[in-house]
Amino acid sequence: MTLKIGVIGTGAIGREHIRRITNNLSGGRITAVTDVNQEAAKAVVEQFGLDAVVYPDDRTLIASEQVDAILVTSWGPAHQASVMAGIEAAKYVFCEKPLATTAEGCRSIVDAEIKFGRRLVQVGFMRRYDNGYIQLKEAIDSNYIGEPLMIRCAHRNPSVDEGYTTDMAITDTLIHEIDVLHWLINDDYSSVQVTYPKKTRHASSHLRDPQLVTLETAKGIVISAEIFVNCKYGYDIQCEVIGEEGIVKLPEVASITYRKEAKLGVHLLMDWKQRFLDAYDRELQDFIDSIRKHGQPQGPTSWDGYIAAVTADACVKAQESGHRETIVFGEKPELYRDYEVSFHRV
Amino acid sequence: MTLKIGVIGTGAIGREHIRRITNNLSGGRITAVTDVNQEAAKAVVEQFGLDAVVYPDDRTLIASEQVDAILVTSWGPAHQASVMAGIEAAKYVFCEKPLATTAEGCRSIVDAEIKFGRRLVQVGFMRRYDNGYIQLKEAIDSNYIGEPLMIRCAHRNPSVDEGYTTDMAITDTLIHEIDVLHWLINDDYSSVQVTYPKKTRHASSHLRDPQLVTLETAKGIVISAEIFVNCKYGYDIQCEVIGEEGIVKLPEVASITYRKEAKLGVHLLMDWKQRFLDAYDRELQDFIDSIRKHGQPQGPTSWDGYIAAVTADACVKAQESGHRETIVFGEKPELYRDYEVSFHRV
Amino acid sequence: MTLKIGVIGTGAIGREHIRRITNNLSGGRITAVTDVNQEAAKAVVEQFGLDAVVYPDDRTLIASEQVDAILVTSWGPAHQASVMAGIEAAKYVFCEKPLATTAEGCRSIVDAEIKFGRRLVQVGFMRRYDNGYIQLKEAIDSNYIGEPLMIRCAHRNPSVDEGYTTDMAITDTLIHEIDVLHWLINDDYSSVQVTYPKKTRHASSHLRDPQLVTLETAKGIVISAEIFVNCKYGYDIQCEVIGEEGIVKLPEVASITYRKEAKLGVHLLMDWKQRFLDAYDRELQDFIDSIRKHGQPQGPTSWDGYIAAVTADACVKAQESGHRETIVFGEKPELYRDYEVSFHRV
Amino acid sequence: MTLKIGVIGTGAIGREHIRRITNNLSGGRITAVTDVNQEAAKAVVEQFGLDAVVYPDDRTLIASEQVDAILVTSWGPAHQASVMAGIEAAKYVFCEKPLATTAEGCRSIVDAEIKFGRRLVQVGFMRRYDNGYIQLKEAIDSNYIGEPLMIRCAHRNPSVDEGYTTDMAITDTLIHEIDVLHWLINDDYSSVQVTYPKKTRHASSHLRDPQLVTLETAKGIVISAEIFVNCKYGYDIQCEVIGEEGIVKLPEVASITYRKEAKLGVHLLMDWKQRFLDAYDRELQDFIDSIRKHGQPQGPTSWDGYIAAVTADACVKAQESGHRETIVFGEKPELYRDYEVSFHRV
């Protein structure tokens, strides 16, 4: 049975997911859309030739019998209300990050889901669906490198625009590492410290760039994460896990090797949107498949959204204080225990 | 509008394509199946929960109004008759290799399609849809390496079973290079010579392994292709194009790098089925999409199937003679000119 | 004119340098040796067929007219006295690390050399002579990556013996990074902090391993240095310099690539002694050549030895305190300014 | 005891060897030089500050008691006479390639040496001293890849000048592969065939470039060697040995990795003189050391020079005929059997 999906927010990311579900994936169909800009919503229906109703707002869309699941792709501050409404209506929810703009907001979603008694919500942390991270996860879980002791990673963009602020290095950029790394090592963050290296001349006057974030976990694993959003040379995601018996590292993006003009090498991506295309496809296909097969999503949970929010808050506090800040989550609720997405390598 | 697809032959490859279309891809639906083993066909319908009719034979399936396109995934000797029947019925045809077991058979399909006046047939040469080959193609077409002068490639399997014969190194193994390389350099083969290096002790008594095949093209490009089907260490596809200004080479399969036990490296595939998974998805999605958008497939043509058959015949002749054998195709028919699959890099 | 060299200390490293000067290098000759174990000294003369006098102690050796330069390769606590005596006698001195066991000791050598008025001393920091580091230096100096902002490096050994203590991670291991990195970026350290990740089960009970050392420089460059001396998998020196315009990284040790048993890779060194063989040759050849051509050595100076000692002290203090510790050197004396070893890439 | 060396021919390569022996190596001393241009010879003595006599010709130099060994670095056609004179005078001979310009000339040197009864001559095939080839040799000899079946190699130069002719692709370029490969696999060539791919527009009108040379050995190993002397992009030496159990391949030249301007890679050499610098040092050091320790050189023999000449003749014949040409050496003389240079990896 095809999953009927309503999309709340038809901006860039919303349209991208509509294209994906309509043209690339199997088992889902866009049946409803809404946007604060109703004309934009209508245009999208036309653009993709959708057999979909345009609703005036998220509430009426969520209430529709033609909607089994909602995609929340509106702007961040609107996420929480749509997700809460979705849970109340017992609809499945795929919510782009952030789940809510505050840790409290995330926690209230977690509580609502717990009250409902079953998972409905998946958060759009797509890196867990990236083939490279999946291979790292498999290597760690199979004890290939023994106990993980350290992670060294980097998140680099060629450049950001003037509006990008120092805290966005956490909330917009590092947020992906925050999610994927605790999943990778199956551990909780316990503290964080931020160091500012010499600033690049390519950063705007108000922005600290690069930054070095040192996270520690409950088991004592130390994560050294570099954020460098004006690195000039490319969009580059690095991750190396150092264990007791060996090391595993993300592959470079597969690209033809050239020998030309006294150089041997590969071309790097400049555009972040190219980096996780397959992962975006796979996260949505998994959302659709899991609901169709198991009656609930199995991807990143509301609790993961809450963890990301709490950790990001501590990171921003550490940016400002210069000191080590502790991170406390409270106990993981029963509903979210023993979740483990198990992929098989492609 | 969803493309209604009938599958002729529900063996391993047939089932794989059914799974793909049903679970991974968009825009196509399996509506009909048949197999010489009717029980097998019925089992497949059940296995995948298909809403599909089981037909007693290819003719009745092809005749069905519930069938827009057929997938020919029966055993090789049966392909030609199904494809011809499909063309006569003006149905779209996706035919696994070989298009026909003889060059004459391929030619008669070409002639039937020309008579019909429009492309209906796509041959299952999936490598053209592999991201690595697409990047090579883009590099060549954009003149990144200047005029291609040589290609050095290798097709290596860990092992083959006892039934694998010397000529199968051409018809089952090199056949993929035969197709993808002339597409890559947009040129026609003109001659071939086969050399036998020292035989590996891992080959069966009747098998020459490895083999070195030297193909020349109309423009004078020389292709040195190694076939080594008992190489032991992995399934490994190499391709390097040497041009006037530089060289481009297929990437290794993306895999996490490890440092362990005094070694730095990556794991290689042992199973050929893992190597082109994405390409299989993309060839079928392209078949479906092209028909839905343009009313005809844009992948490898009947003429490409004919070229593969003629070239393979000459290669087998060269295996036996030890001499350089010429390859002659006749002029490329109007219908197949100016075809160029244009992909955009993922 | 051949440089006449006297060796003080004929242990492992002393014999290695004697072998090097006698069999591999040009322009120097071992004319004198001494060791607290006189029999050992005599045995070395015999072993290498040297035309050399065995002296009873360092003072008599230094006083000999047959000695232009001394190699101080005794145990660490004896270095300072031999070096001071060498300076007093106006002999050239090549001293293995440490120059002295205390910062004060190093400073007194610096002062003695300043008083003498010309460089006599070279400290055995061989990494500056490694082809990889030289390439990094050239890239930085030529502004290839713009201003350096961060360095990420690692010093990993497969294992250490029971006697290796936590502070030796600084004084025996990181000491090489301490020297080579400030030379690389032409900057002074200003502070250091040490973090202890989860301890590997392979470390002895009293040893913290791995360790993460974060050094900052006067210009604000942040160096994140991992020390991991029971990493099991190999002897591995990593160094990556992240600049405003790009990144440069040490090459892996050149080794043949293999494809075997489902793996593609290279073998790593397990023995640290193999890693910098060429650099050892080059540092001594440069010592000999510089004296012969310019009348003074041009390699790492007494001041560099002093910097290493002060920095190591601060690192050890930071190991114990857990806090950021400041590093203060005082002004660089006139004698040591504008020194820049300029190598040309091999 | 220092080996007293006389140099016959003070052109570029002669001067380079004089510099090497004088400044880099141990155990040898230039005591005599000669050149058809006596002024050039005198200038060299001055340039390097040699304590050496300038002789009017090779005969007088060879006759000198101050000469233990001669370096023959004159132009090719003069080699044979100097080498013969050296053998007659019982002097050690290091002769740059070619040993003689004809196979007959080489054979007469072989015969003279056999008559003398002990090895005196080493031919300047330096690749056997390259660390990468040594690692390949060790891998093969230790049976790491099982029996070798094929070799795929390439010898590429950025460009050559107008005077470079088609046969020089063999006699000047492939000659190095001819020597090193039969040593690598410990086998004799039995036939050769040459194929001409499409010609690059960068080659002069009279030059076939690139060329593909297919050599077969007595054991049936097939070597596919590409020569491409106007490849534009760099000086690049590739060699891959394919065995029954796996593959080993020369490493790329060790160079720092950069990430810059959307590229990840390393710089390649453009100048061939940079590629084998270490090997040149090591071949001469080995010549000196072997004579001092064992009373005879252990590097490439006169017989190896003869093999290279015979093989090159057959290759040139194959260039012209387009056919497979057989290669016949006659039996290997007693004197040259069981020679195996055994290096230990640096």
Side-chain angles (χ1 to χ4, degrees), chain A residues 19-40:
Chain A
R19 181 198 60 70
R20 191 165 270 127
I21 288 167
T22 306
N23 296 346
N24 289 25
L25 306 182
S26 175
R29 195 163 68 79
I30 306 299
T31 56
V33 297
T34 188
D35 196 276
V36 290
N37 178 342
Q38 288 278 303
E39 292 311 309

PDB file of all heavy atoms in Angstrom, chain A residues 19-40:
ATOM      1  N   ARG A  19      10.404  15.981  -5.217  1.00  0.00           N
ATOM      2  CA  ARG A  19      11.013  15.429  -6.432  1.00  0.00           C
ATOM      3  C   ARG A  19      11.506  14.009  -6.200  1.00  0.00           C
ATOM      4  O   ARG A  19      11.304  13.099  -7.001  1.00  0.00           O
ATOM      5  CB  ARG A  19      12.183  16.311  -6.872  1.00  0.00           C
ATOM      6  CG  ARG A  19      12.893  15.864  -8.162  1.00  0.00           C
ATOM      7  CD  ARG A  19      14.273  16.481  -8.334  1.00  0.00           C
ATOM      8  NE  ARG A  19      15.189  16.159  -7.248  1.00  0.00           N
ATOM      9  CZ  ARG A  19      15.705  14.957  -7.014  1.00  0.00           C
ATOM     10  NH1 ARG A  19      15.411  13.944  -7.811  1.00  0.00           N
ATOM     11  NH2 ARG A  19      16.516  14.757  -5.975  1.00  0.00           N
ATOM     12  N   ARG A  20      12.166  13.844  -5.080  1.00  0.00           N
ATOM     13  CA  ARG A  20      12.748  12.562  -4.708  1.00  0.00           C
ATOM     14  C   ARG A  20      11.669  11.484  -4.603  1.00  0.00           C
ATOM     15  O   ARG A  20      11.780  10.402  -5.199  1.00  0.00           O
ATOM     16  CB  ARG A  20      13.421  12.787  -3.349  1.00  0.00           C
ATOM     17  CG  ARG A  20      14.298  11.723  -2.852  1.00  0.00           C
ATOM     18  CD  ARG A  20      15.154  12.259  -1.721  1.00  0.00           C
ATOM     19  NE  ARG A  20      16.412  12.815  -2.199  1.00  0.00           N
ATOM     20  CZ  ARG A  20      16.873  14.038  -1.929  1.00  0.00           C
ATOM     21  NH1 ARG A  20      16.171  14.858  -1.159  1.00  0.00           N
ATOM     22  NH2 ARG A  20      18.014  14.443  -2.427  1.00  0.00           N
ATOM     23  N   ILE A  21      10.639  11.777  -3.832  1.00  0.00           N
ATOM     24  CA  ILE A  21       9.571  10.792  -3.599  1.00  0.00           C
ATOM     25  C   ILE A  21       8.828  10.493  -4.894  1.00  0.00           C
ATOM     26  O   ILE A  21       8.434   9.363  -5.164  1.00  0.00           O
ATOM     27  CB  ILE A  21       8.613  11.318  -2.505  1.00  0.00           C
ATOM     28  CG1 ILE A  21       9.325  11.262  -1.144  1.00  0.00           C
ATOM     29  CG2 ILE A  21       7.313  10.526  -2.482  1.00  0.00           C
ATOM     30  CD1 ILE A  21       8.622  12.030  -0.045  1.00  0.00           C
ATOM     31  N   THR A  22       8.681  11.511  -5.715  1.00  0.00           N
ATOM     32  CA  THR A  22       7.909  11.352  -6.948  1.00  0.00           C
ATOM     33  C   THR A  22       8.704  10.645  -8.039  1.00  0.00           C
ATOM     34  O   THR A  22       8.179   9.775  -8.733  1.00  0.00           O
ATOM     35  CB  THR A  22       7.447  12.740  -7.460  1.00  0.00           C
ATOM     36  OG1 THR A  22       6.749  13.386  -6.396  1.00  0.00           O
ATOM     37  CG2 THR A  22       6.558  12.613  -8.681  1.00  0.00           C
ATOM     38  N   ASN A  23       9.967  10.978  -8.161  1.00  0.00           N
ATOM     39  CA  ASN A  23      10.737  10.486  -9.317  1.00  0.00           C
ATOM     40  C   ASN A  23      11.719   9.365  -9.009  1.00  0.00           C
ATOM     41  O   ASN A  23      12.090   8.615  -9.911  1.00  0.00           O
ATOM     42  CB  ASN A  23      11.540  11.630  -9.950  1.00  0.00           C
ATOM     43  CG  ASN A  23      10.633  12.697 -10.506  1.00  0.00           C
ATOM     44  OD1 ASN A  23       9.430  12.479 -10.658  1.00  0.00           O
ATOM     45  ND2 ASN A  23      11.191  13.852 -10.802  1.00  0.00           N
ATOM     46  N   ASN A  24      12.199   9.288  -7.779  1.00  0.00           N
ATOM     47  CA  ASN A  24      13.292   8.348  -7.501  1.00  0.00           C
ATOM     48  C   ASN A  24      12.895   7.183  -6.617  1.00  0.00           C
ATOM     49  O   ASN A  24      13.497   6.127  -6.701  1.00  0.00           O
ATOM     50  CB  ASN A  24      14.432   9.042  -6.728  1.00  0.00           C
ATOM     51  CG  ASN A  24      15.195  10.022  -7.553  1.00  0.00           C
ATOM     52  OD1 ASN A  24      14.674  10.546  -8.523  1.00  0.00           O
ATOM     53  ND2 ASN A  24      16.445  10.254  -7.169  1.00  0.00           N
ATOM     54  N   LEU A  25      11.951   7.426  -5.705  1.00  0.00           N
ATOM     55  CA  LEU A  25      11.722   6.428  -4.661  1.00  0.00           C
ATOM     56  C   LEU A  25      10.463   5.629  -4.946  1.00  0.00           C
ATOM     57  O   LEU A  25       9.694   5.935  -5.848  1.00  0.00           O
ATOM     58  CB  LEU A  25      11.626   7.126  -3.303  1.00  0.00           C
ATOM     59  CG  LEU A  25      12.812   8.027  -2.938  1.00  0.00           C
ATOM     60  CD1 LEU A  25      12.609   8.626  -1.558  1.00  0.00           C
ATOM     61  CD2 LEU A  25      14.116   7.269  -3.009  1.00  0.00           C
ATOM     62  N   SER A  26      10.297   4.616  -4.135  1.00  0.00           N
ATOM     63  CA  SER A  26       9.206   3.689  -4.335  1.00  0.00           C
ATOM     64  C   SER A  26       8.340   3.639  -3.091  1.00  0.00           C
ATOM     65  O   SER A  26       8.831   3.750  -1.968  1.00  0.00           O
ATOM     66  CB  SER A  26       9.814   2.310  -4.607  1.00  0.00           C
ATOM     67  OG  SER A  26       8.821   1.340  -4.698  1.00  0.00           O
ATOM     68  N   GLY A  27       7.041   3.534  -3.277  1.00  0.00           N
ATOM     69  CA  GLY A  27       6.155   3.249  -2.143  1.00  0.00           C
ATOM     70  C   GLY A  27       5.515   4.454  -1.491  1.00  0.00           C
ATOM     71  O   GLY A  27       4.697   4.298  -0.579  1.00  0.00           O
ATOM     72  N   GLY A  28       5.876   5.651  -1.920  1.00  0.00           N
ATOM     73  CA  GLY A  28       5.260   6.841  -1.340  1.00  0.00           C
ATOM     74  C   GLY A  28       4.710   7.740  -2.430  1.00  0.00           C
ATOM     75  O   GLY A  28       5.158   7.686  -3.578  1.00  0.00           O
ATOM     76  N   ARG A  29       3.703   8.565  -2.073  1.00  0.00           N
ATOM     77  CA  ARG A  29       3.102   9.458  -3.054  1.00  0.00           C
ATOM     78  C   ARG A  29       2.744  10.767  -2.351  1.00  0.00           C
ATOM     79  O   ARG A  29       2.242  10.753  -1.223  1.00  0.00           O
ATOM     80  CB  ARG A  29       1.832   8.828  -3.634  1.00  0.00           C
ATOM     81  CG  ARG A  29       1.316   9.482  -4.894  1.00  0.00           C
ATOM     82  CD  ARG A  29       0.320   8.579  -5.626  1.00  0.00           C
ATOM     83  NE  ARG A  29      -0.915   8.413  -4.881  1.00  0.00           N
ATOM     84  CZ  ARG A  29      -1.906   9.333  -4.845  1.00  0.00           C
ATOM     85  NH1 ARG A  29      -1.799  10.455  -5.521  1.00  0.00           N
ATOM     86  NH2 ARG A  29      -3.000   9.116  -4.150  1.00  0.00           N
ATOM     87  N   ILE A  30       3.006  11.886  -2.999  1.00  0.00           N
ATOM     88  CA  ILE A  30       2.649  13.178  -2.423  1.00  0.00           C
ATOM     89  C   ILE A  30       1.163  13.430  -2.714  1.00  0.00           C
ATOM     90  O   ILE A  30       0.779  13.563  -3.877  1.00  0.00           O
ATOM     91  CB  ILE A  30       3.487  14.317  -3.033  1.00  0.00           C
ATOM     92  CG1 ILE A  30       4.998  14.012  -2.916  1.00  0.00           C
ATOM     93  CG2 ILE A  30       3.147  15.663  -2.370  1.00  0.00           C
ATOM     94  CD1 ILE A  30       5.519  13.871  -1.517  1.00  0.00           C
ATOM     95  N   THR A  31       0.383  13.509  -1.653  1.00  0.00           N
ATOM     96  CA  THR A  31      -1.067  13.683  -1.826  1.00  0.00           C
ATOM     97  C   THR A  31      -1.529  15.047  -1.349  1.00  0.00           C
ATOM     98  O   THR A  31      -2.680  15.422  -1.593  1.00  0.00           O
ATOM     99  CB  THR A  31      -1.829  12.613  -1.013  1.00  0.00           C
ATOM    100  OG1 THR A  31      -1.388  12.715   0.358  1.00  0.00           O
ATOM    101  CG2 THR A  31      -1.550  11.227  -1.541  1.00  0.00           C
ATOM    102  N   ALA A  32      -0.670  15.750  -0.625  1.00  0.00           N
ATOM    103  CA  ALA A  32      -1.093  17.023  -0.042  1.00  0.00           C
ATOM    104  C   ALA A  32       0.128  17.913   0.162  1.00  0.00           C
ATOM    105  O   ALA A  32       1.203  17.420   0.479  1.00  0.00           O
ATOM    106  CB  ALA A  32      -1.767  16.766   1.316  1.00  0.00           C
ATOM    107  N   VAL A  33      -0.090  19.218  -0.034  1.00  0.00           N
ATOM    108  CA  VAL A  33       0.990  20.167   0.247  1.00  0.00           C
ATOM    109  C   VAL A  33       0.386  21.412   0.881  1.00  0.00           C
ATOM    110  O   VAL A  33      -0.807  21.714   0.693  1.00  0.00           O
ATOM    111  CB  VAL A  33       1.750  20.600  -1.032  1.00  0.00           C
ATOM    112  CG1 VAL A  33       2.434  19.410  -1.694  1.00  0.00           C
ATOM    113  CG2 VAL A  33       0.827  21.291  -2.016  1.00  0.00           C
ATOM    114  N   THR A  34       1.228  22.095   1.640  1.00  0.00           N
ATOM    115  CA  THR A  34       0.819  23.401   2.133  1.00  0.00           C
ATOM    116  C   THR A  34       2.061  24.259   2.311  1.00  0.00           C
ATOM    117  O   THR A  34       3.174  23.726   2.416  1.00  0.00           O
ATOM    118  CB  THR A  34       0.041  23.318   3.457  1.00  0.00           C
ATOM    119  OG1 THR A  34      -0.468  24.640   3.757  1.00  0.00           O
ATOM    120  CG2 THR A  34       0.928  22.860   4.612  1.00  0.00           C
ATOM    121  N   ASP A  35       1.826  25.561   2.313  1.00  0.00           N
ATOM    122  CA  ASP A  35       2.933  26.482   2.544  1.00  0.00           C
ATOM    123  C   ASP A  35       2.318  27.808   2.982  1.00  0.00           C
ATOM    124  O   ASP A  35       1.172  28.112   2.615  1.00  0.00           O
ATOM    125  CB  ASP A  35       3.749  26.683   1.262  1.00  0.00           C
ATOM    126  CG  ASP A  35       5.112  27.316   1.548  1.00  0.00           C
ATOM    127  OD1 ASP A  35       5.173  28.559   1.639  1.00  0.00           O
ATOM    128  OD2 ASP A  35       6.102  26.566   1.716  1.00  0.00           O
ATOM    129  N   VAL A  36       3.051  28.589   3.762  1.00  0.00           N
ATOM    130  CA  VAL A  36       2.535  29.908   4.146  1.00  0.00           C
ATOM    131  C   VAL A  36       2.300  30.734   2.882  1.00  0.00           C
ATOM    132  O   VAL A  36       1.410  31.569   2.838  1.00  0.00           O
ATOM    133  CB  VAL A  36       3.496  30.640   5.114  1.00  0.00           C
ATOM    134  CG1 VAL A  36       3.492  29.945   6.483  1.00  0.00           C
ATOM    135  CG2 VAL A  36       4.901  30.689   4.551  1.00  0.00           C
ATOM    136  N   ASN A  37       3.066  30.456   1.864  1.00  0.00           N
ATOM    137  CA  ASN A  37       2.848  31.065   0.556  1.00  0.00           C
ATOM    138  C   ASN A  37       2.044  30.075  -0.294  1.00  0.00           C
ATOM    139  O   ASN A  37       2.596  29.145  -0.885  1.00  0.00           O
ATOM    140  CB  ASN A  37       4.208  31.368  -0.075  1.00  0.00           C
ATOM    141  CG  ASN A  37       4.057  31.976  -1.467  1.00  0.00           C
ATOM    142  OD1 ASN A  37       2.996  31.867  -2.095  1.00  0.00           O
ATOM    143  ND2 ASN A  37       5.129  32.608  -1.927  1.00  0.00           N
ATOM    144  N   GLN A  38       0.748  30.277  -0.339  1.00  0.00           N
ATOM    145  CA  GLN A  38      -0.136  29.320  -1.020  1.00  0.00           C
ATOM    146  C   GLN A  38       0.179  29.233  -2.520  1.00  0.00           C
ATOM    147  O   GLN A  38       0.060  28.169  -3.119  1.00  0.00           O
ATOM    148  CB  GLN A  38      -1.598  29.732  -0.806  1.00  0.00           C
ATOM    149  CG  GLN A  38      -2.088  29.480   0.617  1.00  0.00           C
ATOM    150  CD  GLN A  38      -2.516  28.038   0.811  1.00  0.00           C
ATOM    151  OE1 GLN A  38      -3.378  27.528   0.111  1.00  0.00           O
ATOM    152  NE2 GLN A  38      -1.872  27.351   1.750  1.00  0.00           N
ATOM    153  N   GLU A  39       0.591  30.315  -3.098  1.00  0.00           N
ATOM    154  CA  GLU A  39       0.913  30.292  -4.527  1.00  0.00           C
ATOM    155  C   GLU A  39       2.105  29.369  -4.789  1.00  0.00           C
ATOM    156  O   GLU A  39       2.134  28.630  -5.770  1.00  0.00           O
ATOM    157  CB  GLU A  39       1.234  31.714  -5.044  1.00  0.00           C
ATOM    158  CG  GLU A  39       0.039  32.652  -5.050  1.00  0.00           C
ATOM    159  CD  GLU A  39      -1.184  32.018  -5.704  1.00  0.00           C
ATOM    160  OE1 GLU A  39      -1.065  31.495  -6.830  1.00  0.00           O
ATOM    161  OE2 GLU A  39      -2.261  32.015  -5.060  1.00  0.00           O
ATOM    162  N   ALA A  40       3.056  29.436  -3.893  1.00  0.00           N
ATOM    163  CA  ALA A  40       4.228  28.559  -4.021  1.00  0.00           C
ATOM    164  C   ALA A  40       3.794  27.099  -3.954  1.00  0.00           C
ATOM    165  O   ALA A  40       4.258  26.253  -4.728  1.00  0.00           O
ATOM    166  CB  ALA A  40       5.241  28.870  -2.918  1.00  0.00           C
TER     167      ALA A  40
END
